[in-house]
């Protein structure tokens, strides 16, 4: 018992000394605190953003049911289903008769009301996810239309009123805050709604502005039930003007919808999200639904392993940033520690004082950083939701996450102090009291072990990317970084050996860095790690952007306006549409094309080209099942199995059976090829894929007629036509047929639409107005080819550069400041032998350049290597090509280096560090007390 009490008293004494030492050396303590707090601040910010973005069943309840509703009933086609308790997944377990007519909304409503409590009632909720039938002044709006009585009793929290009032009668609507802000719609404005070309325009008055958790970032228009959408549609795959209508019922009232009622509703094809079931899930043996395990979720071994590796790298970064300050602080305290030894302190007391000092600083700074990061994360979530339309349901701050991060920060500070504490325990008391500085020769095995670990990491990452093992790849990249960190000291020493011909200041800085590797190597390693992480992300994001850009297939030449008519489009409509375009857009020349006309209603007709036997891919005729490796090899090596649109610049026009005499083709592609126009005028099919040509210079055109509903089978005929292989650029994915070939094919033609060139790129507002003008004259759609319009990653790239730059400068000037504090005697000696006052500035600038320069070069090199590994892993997905759900080409991955950002990392940040070091260092050389040796 006495021994335990003695240890407790010793710990109290160590903590008291730690508090006094931290307070006495405020500058050094603040430096250590900032180095530990920065990563904790970043991690806690990311934690809040991630937790807020991660939706759990309760979030779906809030988004769909609000604060009061009991359940949401979503209708299907009448097939019995099995569902998960949270209502997010379900699957059909029976099929309805194909000849039976799906029930109407009223029929489903009657069935559903008979299965819920008699004290509850239902509220209809119907919506369409896309529509261009809403006109505001001279523009057509892309909105989501919803019929829903959100002000009904028991429906609270689903939609909230921002201004105005709820719609009460036919002709009144409210708009979402996005329409209010982005389109300039105000309460009292008039809109016009045209459900179809056959219906009369309907005047709508905006009576309010609303918002809701499920409406964030999306334009919505809401009216009373029955005021906007037809009421006689069947449930299931309901269609209105070619759009899918989603219908559901909200159950409101005092009684919850139980799991037994959910199972009964499943039998009539209703999927249920029940508040009561989500809050009190049924036991597993009462849930017939067995969801699919897609893998890669939060609980997967791979994801957990990757998270552990990433967290480990963050901890390493904290240790690297704080380590030099802790080590130098311990050396600056050597005299105080020596006095403690002379007063009777033991080695364990010295270790305890060093550990306690840094543990207290680390824990306090981590707690403050965690709280500040939570606040920053909350503000970020609110800004992203309010200003950028990101769908965050709530700000989710997990106290356990913050406490864990604070504890990790404190423990990491302790871990970074272990080596200085161990060195303090082996203190040479006489040397410390006389002011002598001992030199410990570096150990060769540390850098050698680091190089070995880095090599192993590169090999693991390469093999992991080859086999597409994410955990192995990430672990290999982490080992590579750890190995380079361990070898940083040897790299500094090697650089010092090569500095013999440099001017005095950089030569002195390199040699001082080599002598004091305990201070310099962690700083170089911290810069290396920060820039390597940023460079890896920059390289991957840049390659991903290039992949997405290559995957994009334009429909026409850049800036071309395309008007595509529906089946009733006529020659008279062409002239009216052209006149409307001239009035609303900056268009130049116009050319019309022709399309297939179905022989009768409810019949589809389309054309395709049949390849000759020797041009067919072996995969098309293969009867046995092939392995994925064989399929990938064939797709990669056999030109017959490659996707034709993989070629750069291939256009994919939306109407895959265009007929033309050459004028529309020139407008569509933006290039004039007289030989192609002559071929079409002479009756030859224009093809762009050489594998579609037969040896005799012809093509085999298959004419497919899909039957009307109720007919038994489709009809296909094959016609041989003369053809020409076009060499124009850009090419088209589909062939172009001559107008004169319609008779030989046995088909009829109609005006398909037109193409128009532009003198400049039309604005989105001009496009909206042009669409409105076109819709006034004909049943047609309009589009403008604007090229690849993917989400810009410039903000993300800039954020990465800024974050890595801050860490780089922080780590650099930590080491520079410590070097200046330790090297005061050296600088004083230089002054004594005649050095000019400016030498101190040049030394500080050189020391900053050494640390930031070495770390920047190594970081960029290792980051590019890691980025290449990650891109290579994507290349091995399907030989560099990704395919969408329809089997269409998605794009090829290739390494793309963001040279501007890499130069900023490799040259810009080090030069900035040199400039800051030069400008912020005082020129006056210090006078120091010289102790006897």
């Amino acid at each position: 018992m006495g021994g335990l009490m003695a240890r407790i008293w010793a710990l109290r004494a160590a903590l008291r000394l730690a508090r006094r030492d931290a307070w006495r050396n405020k500058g050094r303590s603040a430096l250590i605190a900032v180095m530990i707090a920065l990563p904790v601040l970043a991690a806690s910010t990311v934690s809040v953003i991630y937790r807020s973005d991660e939706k759990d069943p309760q979030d779906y309840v809030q988004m769909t049911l609000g604060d009061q509703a009991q359940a949401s009933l979503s209708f299907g086609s009448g097939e019995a289903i099995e569902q998960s308790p949270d209502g997010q997944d379900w699957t059909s377990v029976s099929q309805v008769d194909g000849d039976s007519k799906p029930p109407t909304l009223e029929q489903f409503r009657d069935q559903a009301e008979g299965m819920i409590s008699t004290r509850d009632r239902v509220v209809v909720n119907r919506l369409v996810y896309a529509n261009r039938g809403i006109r505001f002044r001279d523009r057509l709006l892309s909105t989501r239309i919803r019929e829903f009585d959100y002000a009904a009793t028991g429906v609270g929290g689903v939609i909230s009123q921002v201004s105005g009032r709820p719609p009460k009668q036919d002709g009144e609507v409210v708009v979402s805050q996005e329409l209010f802000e982005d389109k300039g719609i105000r309460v009292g404005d008039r809109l016009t709604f045209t459900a179809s070309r056959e219906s009369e325009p309907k005047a709508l008055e905006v009576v309010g502005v609303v918002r809701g958790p499920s409406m964030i970032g999306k334009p919505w228009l809401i009216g009373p039930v029955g005021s906007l959408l037809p009421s006689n549609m069947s449930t299931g795959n309901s269609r209105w003007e070619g759009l899918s209508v989603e219908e559901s019922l909200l159950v409101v009232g005092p009684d919850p919808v139980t799991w037994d009622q959910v199972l009964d509703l499943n039998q009539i094809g209703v999927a249920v999200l029940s508040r009561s079931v989500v809050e009190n899930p049924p036991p597993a043996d009462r849930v017939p639904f067995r969801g699919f395990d897609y893998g890669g979720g939060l609980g997967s071994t791979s994801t957990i392993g990757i998270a552990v590796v990433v967290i480990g790298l963050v901890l390493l970064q904290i240790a690297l940033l704080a380590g030099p300050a802790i080590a130098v602080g311990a050396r600056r305290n050597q005299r105080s520690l020596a006095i403690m030894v002379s007063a009777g302190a033991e080695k364990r007391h010295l270790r305890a004082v060093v550990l306690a000092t840094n543990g207290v600083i680390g824990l306090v700074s981590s707690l403050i950083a965690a709280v500040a990061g939570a606040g920053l994360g909350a503000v970020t979530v609110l800004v992203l939701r309010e200003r950028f339309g990101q769908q965050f349901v709530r700000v989710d701050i997990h106290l356990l996450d913050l406490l864990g991060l604070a504890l990790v920060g404190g423990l990491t500070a302790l871990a970074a102090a272990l080596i200085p504490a161990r060195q303090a325990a082996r203190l040479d008391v006489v040397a410390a009291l006389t002011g002598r500085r001992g030199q410990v020769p570096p150990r060769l095995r540390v850098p050698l072990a680091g190089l070995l670990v880095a090599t192993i990491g590169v090999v693991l990452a390469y093999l992991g990317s080859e086999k597409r093992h994410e955990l192995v790849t990430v672990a290999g990249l982490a080992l590579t970084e750890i190995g380079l960190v361990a070898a940083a000291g040897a790299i500094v020493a090697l650089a010092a050996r090569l500095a013999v011909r440099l001017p005095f200041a950089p030569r002195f800085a390199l040699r001082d860095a080599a002598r004091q590797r305990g201070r310099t190597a962690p700083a170089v390693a911290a810069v290396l790690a920060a820039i390597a992480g940023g460079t890896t992300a920059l390289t991957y994001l840049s390659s991903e952007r290039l992949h997405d850009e290559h995957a994009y297939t334009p429909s026409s030449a850049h800036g071309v306006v395309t008007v595509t008519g529906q089946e009733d489009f006529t020659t008279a409509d062409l002239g009216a549409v052209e006149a409307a375009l001239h009035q609303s857009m900056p268009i130049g020349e116009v050319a019309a094309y022709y399309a297939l006309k179905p022989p009768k209603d409810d019949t589809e007709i389309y054309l395709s080209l049949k390849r000759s036997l020797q041009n067919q891919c072996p995969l098309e005729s293969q009867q046995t099942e092939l392995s994925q490796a064989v399929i990938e090899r064939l797709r990669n090596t056999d030109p017959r199995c490659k996707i034709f649109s993989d070629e750069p610049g291939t256009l994919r026009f939306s109407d895959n059976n265009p007929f033309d005499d050459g004028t529309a083709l020139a407008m569509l592609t933006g290039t004039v090829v007289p030989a192609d126009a002559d071929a079409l005028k002479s009756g030859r099919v224009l093809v762009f894929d050489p594998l579609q040509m037969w040896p005799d210079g012809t093509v085999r055109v298959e004419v497919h007629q899909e039957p009307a509903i109720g007919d038994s089978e489709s009809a296909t005929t094959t016609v041989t036509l003369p053809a020409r292989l076009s060499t124009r650029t850009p090419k088209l994915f589909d062939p172009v047929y001559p107008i004169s070939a319609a008779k030989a094919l046995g088909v009829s033609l109609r005006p398909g639409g037109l193409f128009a060139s532009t003198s400049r790129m039309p604005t989105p507002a001009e496009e909206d107005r042009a669409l409105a003008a076109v819709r006034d004259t004909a049943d047609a759609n309009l589009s403008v080819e604007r090229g690849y319009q993917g989400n810009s990653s410039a903000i993300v790239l800039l954020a990465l550069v800024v974050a890595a730059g801050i860490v780089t400068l922080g780590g650099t000037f930590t080491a520079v400041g410590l070097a200046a504090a330790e090297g005061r005697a050296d600088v004083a000696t230089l002054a004594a032998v005649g050095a000019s006052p400016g030498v101190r500035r040049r030394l500080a600038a050189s020391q900053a350049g050494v640390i930031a320069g070495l770390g920047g070069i190594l970081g960029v090199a290792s980051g590019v290597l890691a980025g290449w590994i990650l891109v290579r892993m994507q290349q091995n997905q399907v030989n560099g090509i990704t395919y969408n759900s329809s089997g269409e080409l998605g794009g090829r991955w290739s390494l793309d280096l963001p040279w501007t950002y890499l130069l900023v990392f490799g040259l810009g940040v080090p030069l900035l560090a040199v400039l800051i070091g030069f400008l912020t260092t005082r020129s006056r050389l210090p006078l120091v007390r010289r102790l006897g040796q």
Side-chain angles (χ1 to χ4, degrees):
M1 185 69 180
L4 178 61
M5 292 302 298
R7 291 186 178 184
I8 294 175
W9 282 107
L11 179 60
R12 289 185 59 188
L15 290 173
R16 188 165 61 250
L17 287 172
R19 179 180 59 81
R20 291 178 179 176
D21 179 68
W23 186 254
R24 187 182 301 115
N25 300 283
K26 298 183 183 65
R28 188 181 71 240
S29 301
L31 188 61
I32 297 173
V34 169
M35 293 299 100
I36 295 172
L38 279 177
V40 175
L41 176 73
S44 56
T45 302
V46 172
S47 170
V48 173
I49 296 174
Y50 174 79
R51 293 289 191 179
S52 301
D53 186 53
E54 185 184 29
K55 296 180 178 62
D56 55 29
Q58 292 291 349
D59 293 324
Y60 289 108
V61 167
Q62 180 62 37
M63 292 171 62
T64 307
L65 306 181
D67 302 323
Q68 304 173 25
Q70 298 291 352
S72 173
L73 314 181
S74 299
F75 297 124
S77 59
E79 302 175 353
I81 65 170
E82 292 177 351
Q83 72 162 73
S84 59
D86 62 4
Q88 299 306 307
D89 294 299
W90 62 84
T91 183
S92 299
V93 295
S94 68
Q95 293 187 352
V96 297
D97 186 355
D99 295 331
S100 62
K101 187 178 180 180
T104 64
L105 176 63
E106 291 299 325
Q107 292 171 331
F108 246 136
R109 178 176 178 175
D110 292 341
Q111 287 181 293
E113 286 181 327
M115 295 182 179
I116 62 175
S117 171
T118 56
R119 298 198 301 169
D120 290 339
R121 59 187 180 85
V122 295
V123 177
V124 175
N125 180 28
R126 311 172 75 201
L127 56 93
V128 175
Y129 279 100
N131 181 65
R132 279 186 177 266
I134 304 295
R135 183 191 296 270
F136 175 53
R137 296 172 184 164
D138 60 347
R139 301 168 61 183
L140 280 180
L141 305 178
S142 295
T143 67
R144 302 182 179 207
I145 296 178
R146 188 173 186 176
E147 293 183 346
F148 181 46
D149 185 8
Y150 64 88
T153 303
V155 186
V158 178
I159 296 175
S160 56
Q161 198 79 36
V162 176
S163 62
R165 60 174 177 82
K168 297 179 180 179
Q169 58 187 359
D170 192 6
E172 293 183 343
V173 294
V174 295
V175 297
S176 64
Q177 203 162 8
E178 284 68 27
L179 275 179
F180 174 79
E181 295 173 350
D182 297 341
K183 302 298 183 181
I185 299 177
R186 299 292 184 265
V187 175
D189 282 344
R190 298 280 179 171
L191 309 176
T192 302
F193 174 52
T194 305
S196 66
R197 288 185 58 81
E198 292 75 24
S199 59
E200 293 294 328
K202 182 177 184 179
L204 302 177
E205 180 184 1
V206 178
V207 297
V209 178
V210 295
R211 64 176 302 170
S214 62
M215 300 167 59
I216 298 173
K218 302 169 185 175
W220 284 91
L221 184 140
I222 304 174
V225 175
S227 65
L228 299 172
L229 305 177
S231 59
N232 59 349
M233 295 185 300
S234 60
T235 58
N237 296 322
S238 299
R239 309 293 293 179
W240 169 67
E241 289 298 298
L243 304 172
S244 296
V245 179
E246 185 176 309
E247 299 171 318
S248 62
L249 298 175
L250 241 62
V251 179
V252 298
D255 295 334
V257 175
T258 65
W259 181 243
D260 289 332
Q261 292 171 324
V262 170
L263 294 177
D264 291 339
L265 289 164
N266 289 165
Q267 296 305 306
I268 62 171
V270 176
V272 184
L273 172 63
S274 168
R275 184 188 302 274
S276 173
V277 173
V278 170
E279 294 175 351
N280 303 285
D285 58 357
R286 296 204 59 213
V287 181
F289 175 79
R290 294 294 178 264
F292 297 99
D293 183 15
Y294 295 100
L298 276 177
S300 69
T301 303
S302 176
T303 304
I304 293 174
I306 292 173
V308 169
V309 172
V310 172
I311 291 172
L313 291 177
V314 172
L315 299 184
L316 176 64
Q317 186 72 31
I318 296 175
L320 291 173
L321 288 171
I326 292 173
V328 174
R331 285 201 296 273
R332 295 292 300 277
N333 272 348
Q334 283 183 349
R335 185 174 180 82
S336 300
L337 296 174
I339 294 174
M340 290 177 57
V341 173
S342 64
E346 300 177 4
K347 291 183 177 182
R348 59 187 177 89
H349 295 142
L350 301 184
R351 285 196 298 266
V353 168
V354 175
L355 290 173
T357 299
N358 296 286
V360 168
I361 295 174
L363 184 60
V364 173
S365 62
S366 297
L367 283 171
I368 295 174
V371 174
L376 180 60
V379 171
T380 303
V381 168
L382 293 175
V383 170
L384 290 174
R385 183 173 67 183
E386 302 298 330
R387 301 299 302 171
F388 297 97
Q390 297 296 315
Q391 196 175 51
F392 291 99
V393 179
R394 49 166 168 60
V395 176
D396 194 355
I397 299 176
H398 282 225
L399 292 179
L400 288 179
D401 287 357
L402 302 183
L403 290 175
L405 289 171
L407 183 61
V408 164
L411 292 177
T412 305
L414 282 176
L418 285 176
I419 294 178
R422 185 181 176 187
Q423 293 173 346
R426 298 198 302 263
L427 178 68
D428 186 339
V429 177
V430 177
L433 291 175
T434 56
R436 293 196 300 267
R437 292 181 293 175
Q439 289 287 4
V440 180
R443 297 176 179 178
L444 185 60
R445 64 173 181 264
V446 174
L448 288 178
L451 291 175
L452 178 62
V453 169
T455 304
I456 294 174
V458 171
V459 173
L460 277 178
Y462 183 87
L463 295 177
S465 65
E466 180 77 21
K467 301 298 183 182
R468 301 195 293 274
H469 292 310
E470 295 179 355
L471 177 57
V472 174
T473 303
V474 173
L477 294 177
L479 285 177
T480 303
E481 182 176 327
I482 292 171
L484 290 174
V485 166
I491 296 172
V492 171
L494 178 62
R497 287 181 178 273
L498 300 176
V500 291
R501 297 187 181 278
L502 292 178
F504 168 73
R507 186 171 73 250
F508 183 92
L510 275 167
R511 290 180 174 177
D512 179 70
R515 283 197 308 270
Q516 303 295 334
R517 263 171 273 182
R519 171 202 348 120
T520 309
V524 172
V527 173
L528 184 158
I531 291 185
T535 303
T536 302
L538 287 171
T539 302
Y540 182 82
L541 288 175
S542 181
S543 301
E544 183 182 44
R545 178 200 56 77
L546 183 64
H547 160 266
D548 293 343
E549 187 174 354
H550 285 170
Y552 175 76
T553 303
S555 61
S556 64
H558 192 69
V560 170
V561 178
T562 302
V563 176
T564 306
Q566 302 302 316
E567 294 182 359
D568 58 350
F569 200 70
T570 64
T571 303
D573 292 333
L574 285 174
V577 167
E578 181 177 351
L581 290 179
H582 278 293
Q583 294 176 359
S584 54
M585 300 184 83
I587 66 169
E589 298 181 1
V590 177
Y593 73 94
Y594 291 84
L596 293 172
K597 181 179 181 180
K600 56 182 178 179
D601 294 339
D602 298 324
T603 300
E604 293 185 3
I605 184 170
Y606 63 94
L607 310 178
S608 65
L609 295 187
K610 182 180 179 181
R611 291 184 181 183
S612 62
L613 185 61
Q614 61 268 29
N615 286 341
Q616 292 180 9
C617 174
L619 295 176
E620 297 177 12
S621 58
Q622 183 67 37
Q623 300 298 320
T624 60
E625 184 175 349
L626 299 177
S627 65
Q628 185 64 27
V630 174
I631 294 174
E632 291 182 6
R633 180 175 56 79
L634 287 172
R635 283 177 174 168
N636 192 48
T637 59
D638 193 330
R640 298 172 298 175
C641 299
K642 291 184 178 180
I643 306 297
F644 173 65
S645 62
D646 188 23
E647 297 184 14
T650 302
L651 304 179
R652 190 157 194 166
F653 177 48
S654 57
D655 191 333
N656 59 1
N657 297 138
F659 285 74
D660 182 39
D661 60 1
T663 55
L665 176 64
M667 188 72 65
L668 172 65
T669 60
T671 57
V672 177
V673 179
D676 287 351
D678 293 341
L680 290 172
K681 291 177 182 178
S682 63
R684 286 183 290 169
V685 180
L686 201 62
V687 297
F688 304 90
D689 184 357
L691 295 176
Q692 293 176 335
M693 293 286 294
W694 283 60
D696 58 357
T698 63
V699 291
R700 305 296 191 267
V701 184
E702 293 184 330
V703 184
H704 306 272
Q705 291 192 33
E706 294 294 335
I709 298 176
D711 289 351
S712 57
E713 58 184 27
S714 60
T716 300
T717 57
T718 303
V719 179
T720 300
L721 292 177
R724 163 182 162 79
L725 179 63
S726 175
T727 57
R728 73 167 54 229
T729 300
K731 301 179 179 180
L732 291 181
F733 182 79
D734 296 300
V736 178
Y737 298 92
I739 296 176
S740 60
K743 183 177 180 181
L745 293 171
V747 297
S748 299
L749 301 181
R750 62 172 177 82
L754 54 83
F755 305 111
S757 63
T758 55
S759 57
R760 60 169 174 81
M761 182 61 68
T763 66
E766 288 175 331
E767 185 177 353
D768 287 341
R769 285 192 289 268
L771 177 61
V774 167
R775 287 282 181 87
D776 285 342
T777 60
D779 187 7
N781 294 317
L782 178 145
S783 64
V784 179
E785 179 52 58
R786 302 180 182 275
Y788 174 66
Q789 300 290 316
N791 294 327
S792 174
S793 57
I795 296 178
V796 177
L797 297 179
L798 181 61
L800 287 171
V801 172
V802 171
I806 290 174
V807 174
T808 297
L809 295 176
T812 298
F813 288 107
T814 299
V816 171
L818 296 174
E822 278 198 315
R824 292 170 66 90
D826 295 331
V827 176
T829 302
L830 290 174
V833 297
S836 65
V839 71
R840 192 182 186 198
R841 281 189 171 182
R842 292 195 293 272
L843 283 177
S846 298
Q847 287 166 337
V850 166
I851 295 169
L854 288 176
I857 293 172
L858 294 173
V860 169
S862 59
V864 168
L865 173 64
W868 172 71
I869 291 290
L870 294 178
V871 170
R872 190 174 183 278
M873 184 165 61
Q874 294 294 338
Q875 286 176 337
N876 288 326
Q877 194 68 25
V878 184
N879 284 313
I881 304 174
T882 54
Y883 296 86
N884 59 24
S885 58
S886 302
E888 297 174 342
L889 185 73
R892 184 174 294 278
W893 279 83
S894 59
L895 182 66
D896 182 64
L897 298 179
W899 288 108
T900 302
Y901 296 104
L902 296 184
L903 289 175
V904 169
F905 275 154
L907 295 177
V909 174
L911 289 176
L912 180 62
V914 169
L915 180 62
I916 294 175
F918 184 82
L919 295 178
T920 58
T921 302
R922 297 166 56 187
S923 297
R924 185 169 58 86
L925 297 173
L927 295 176
V928 298
R929 181 180 62 171
R930 303 184 66 83
L931 299 176
Q933 300 296 314

